[in-house]
């Protein structure tokens, strides 16, 4: 949601984080759990607490 709200492409976010752009898709679909280091880098990129980006509780699906 943050990426879409801020109009950041998967490729741009991936380049900023030093990961493959497909990794961003895997994260967004819940197919991959990031390392703590990557989770913190994503939160830092968006300038939000890590809890805003990741949670132990599932986030509601968008548009449902």
């Amino acid at each position: 949601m943050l990426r879409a709200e801020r109009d950041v492409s998967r490729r741009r976010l991936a380049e900023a984080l030093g990961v493959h752009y497909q990794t961003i898709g895997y994260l967004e679909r819940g197919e991959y759990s990031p390392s703590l280091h990557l989770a913190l880098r994503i939160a830092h990129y968006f300038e939000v607490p890590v809890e805003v980006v990741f949670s132990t509780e599932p986030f509601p699906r968008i548009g449902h």
Side-chain angles (χ1 to χ4, degrees), residues 1 4-5 7 10 17 19 21 25-26 28 30-31 34 38 40 43-44 46 48-49 54-56 61-64:
M1 288 177 59
E5 286 174 357
D7 197 30
R10 283 185 182 145
L17 298 173
V19 298
Y21 74 93
Y26 295 143
E28 291 177 345
E31 297 173 5
L38 180 55
L40 292 170
H44 178 76
F46 288 111
V48 296
F54 298 98
S55 173
T56 56
R61 293 186 59 89
I62 299 172
H64 291 237

Side-chain angles (χ1 to χ4, degrees), residues 27-49:
L27 290 168
E28 291 177 345
R29 292 188 301 273
E31 297 173 5
Y32 172 73
S33 293
S35 66
L36 177 58
H37 182 69
L38 180 55
L40 292 170
R41 287 181 12 229
I42 293 169
H44 178 76
Y45 178 87
F46 288 111
E47 299 177 330
V48 296

Side-chain angles (χ1 to χ4, degrees), residues 2-23:
L2 277 171
R3 187 181 63 75
E5 286 174 357
R6 298 183 186 194
D7 197 30
V8 176
S9 71
R10 283 185 182 145
R11 193 169 300 274
R12 186 168 131 206
L13 179 57
E15 288 173 1
L17 298 173
V19 298
H20 194 276
Y21 74 93
Q22 288 180 325
T23 301

